[in-house]
């Protein structure tokens, strides 16, 4: 967070003769922002996350009556996830959207919602993540210099795409070089399924696919579409192998510097935008398969049971049950049903 710096002070001061205490933006007078806040994410500007983020920023700026200037940096403008996450922790970025699974590189127990085939639909997801499972994870995050707003945003149910041949059965994944986000559970899951997972930040994913450094990747349809991954991938296998979201994380000490009224404005705007974005992504997932087919992608459905069975027999569930511990696992199964 940046308080009024020397340059903006001077700019304001030079306008003071015309309009004391005000600066001019596009011909309109605004009080100079007291707090400039930086919010960053890894998704394209056309993804619902960024459409809602722009709305959210405008709302915060308006409700704060110009005291806050809420800046949105989409599409890895400030670096890949690893860089942005370290900037969040240092306070160079105030807010950052991160998958609970990638957060697992820092807080291993935060990945629990990413267990394969845990949630059968969105009702189960929101019950868990707005309920005790999400509360458990947010509490773990709060032990660090960061925090998560109450309402997680939606990434979606993930599907596998490949360049040269479709994935119809588990055997088709054997040895396939598959890009996964950097996260212990992602690597573990795709090793258990027999693939050869490679951790690559989303910022480098399109080019890794384009140059055939990897054969495939997995992401929700809303991302395959808005990040134009269909340009460099041919097949899409509807595995729905896990649900993924984005915590809107904040830097605790920069948030604590804001007065309570501004904190409340931001909290409400972030949570409301997140709730709308959940629905947007759900709707986009339902209408995007046809668009991707029109763009030349070939789709196939799979028997999810076959993939889940492979996770059972490979010991994936048993291993992670041990790592998360009986209490957290019981919370997961409360919403997911018996796993493993
Ligand atoms: O990196 C990915 O694949 C993405 C965009 O889905 C996440 O941020 C987890």
């Amino acid at each position: 967070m940046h308080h009024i710096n020397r340059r903006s002070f001077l700019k304001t001061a030079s306008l003071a003769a015309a309009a004391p205490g005000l600066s001019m933006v596009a011909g309109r007078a605004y009080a100079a922002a007291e707090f400039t806040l930086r919010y960053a994410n890894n998704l394209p500007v056309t993804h619902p996350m960024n459409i809602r983020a722009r709305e959210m920023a405008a709302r915060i700026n308006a409700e704060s009556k110009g005291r806050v200037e809420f800046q949105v940096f989409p599409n890895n403008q400030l670096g890949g996830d690893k860089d942005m996450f370290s900037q969040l922790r240092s306070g160079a970025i105030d807010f950052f959207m991160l998958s609970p699974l990638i957060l697992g590189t820092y807080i291993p127990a935060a990945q629990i919602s990413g267990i394969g085939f845990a949630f059968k639909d969105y009702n189960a997801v929101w019950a868990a993540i707005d309920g005790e499972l999400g509360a458990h994870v947010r509490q773990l995050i709060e032990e660090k210099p960061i925090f998560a707003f109450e309402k997680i945003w939606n990434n979606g149910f993930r599907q596998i795409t490949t360049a040269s041949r479709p994935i119809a059965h588990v055997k088709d994944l054997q040895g396939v070089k598959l890009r996964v986000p950097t996260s212990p559970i992602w690597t573990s899951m795709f090793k258990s399924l027999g693939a050869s997972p490679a951790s690559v930040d989303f910022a480098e994913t399109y080019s890794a696919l384009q140059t055939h450094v990897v054969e495939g990747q997995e992401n929700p349809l809303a991302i395959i579409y808005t990040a134009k991954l269909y340009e460099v991938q041919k097949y899409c296998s509807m595995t729905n192998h896990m649900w993924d979201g984005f915590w809107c994380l904040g830097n605790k000490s920069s948030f604590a510097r804001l007065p309570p009224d501004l904190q409340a404005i931001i909290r409400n705007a972030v949570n409301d935008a997140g709730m709308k974005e959940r629905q947007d992504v759900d709707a986009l997932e339902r209408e995007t398969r046809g668009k991707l087919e029109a763009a030349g992608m070939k789709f196939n459905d799979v028997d999810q049971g076959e993939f889940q069975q492979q996770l059972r027999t490979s010991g994936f569930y048993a291993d992670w049950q041990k790592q998360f511990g009986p209490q957290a696992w019981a919370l997961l199964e409360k919403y997911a049903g018996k796993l493993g």
Side-chain angles (χ1 to χ4, degrees), residues 261-278:
D261 60 327
L262 296 183
Q263 287 183 356
I265 285 170
I266 292 169
R267 185 177 295 284
N268 291 334
V270 169
N271 286 332
D272 287 353
M275 292 302 282
K276 290 179 188 150
E277 190 264 1
R278 288 182 183 184

Side-chain angles (χ1 to χ4, degrees), residues 194-206:
S196 173
S199 303
V200 177
D201 260 10
F202 192 63
E204 279 95 47
T205 295
Y206 184 98

Side-chain angles (χ1 to χ4, degrees), residues 1-2 36-45 49-50 53-54 56-57 69-81 84 87 92-97:
M1 179 165 57
H2 307 277
T36 301
L37 299 172
R38 291 149 70 92
Y39 159 100
N41 66 56
N42 66 3
L43 290 185
V45 294
M49 177 193 285
N50 279 311
R54 283 196 297 276
M56 167 181 96
E69 186 189 338
F70 196 95
Q71 301 177 332
V72 177
F73 296 91
N75 208 19
N76 296 300
Q77 277 174 13
L78 301 182
D81 278 334
M84 289 190 281
Q87 291 171 63
I93 294 177
D94 305 288
F95 306 103
F96 170 51
M97 307 299 280

Side-chain angles (χ1 to χ4, degrees), residues 122-163:
Y122 277 119
N123 287 339
V125 167
W126 306 133
I129 211 90
D130 288 338
E132 288 172 68
L133 190 73
H136 159 73
V137 171
R138 279 192 292 113
Q139 198 179 325
L140 296 168
I141 299 172
E142 289 269 358
E143 289 167 12
K144 304 286 183 183
I146 57 174
F147 68 97
F149 286 99
E150 290 75 11
K151 298 297 180 188
I152 200 168
W153 295 39
N154 195 6
N155 189 348
F157 280 92
R158 300 181 77 96
Q159 323 297 347
I160 301 175
T161 67
T162 44

Side-chain angles (χ1 to χ4, degrees), residues 42-43 81 99 102 155 158 179 181 186 202 219 223 244 246:
N42 66 3
L43 290 185
D81 278 334
S99 159
I102 303 179
N155 189 348
R158 300 181 77 96
R179 174 273 170 175
W186 245 306
F202 192 63
N219 248 306
I223 287 183
D244 189 30
F246 285 95

Side-chain angles (χ1 to χ4, degrees), residues 219-237:
N219 248 306
L221 295 186
I223 287 183
I224 296 166
Y225 184 63
T226 57
K228 298 189 166 37
L229 300 185
Y230 57 85
E231 293 175 348
V232 288
Q233 296 279 271
K234 180 77 185 168
Y235 299 97
C236 185
S237 174

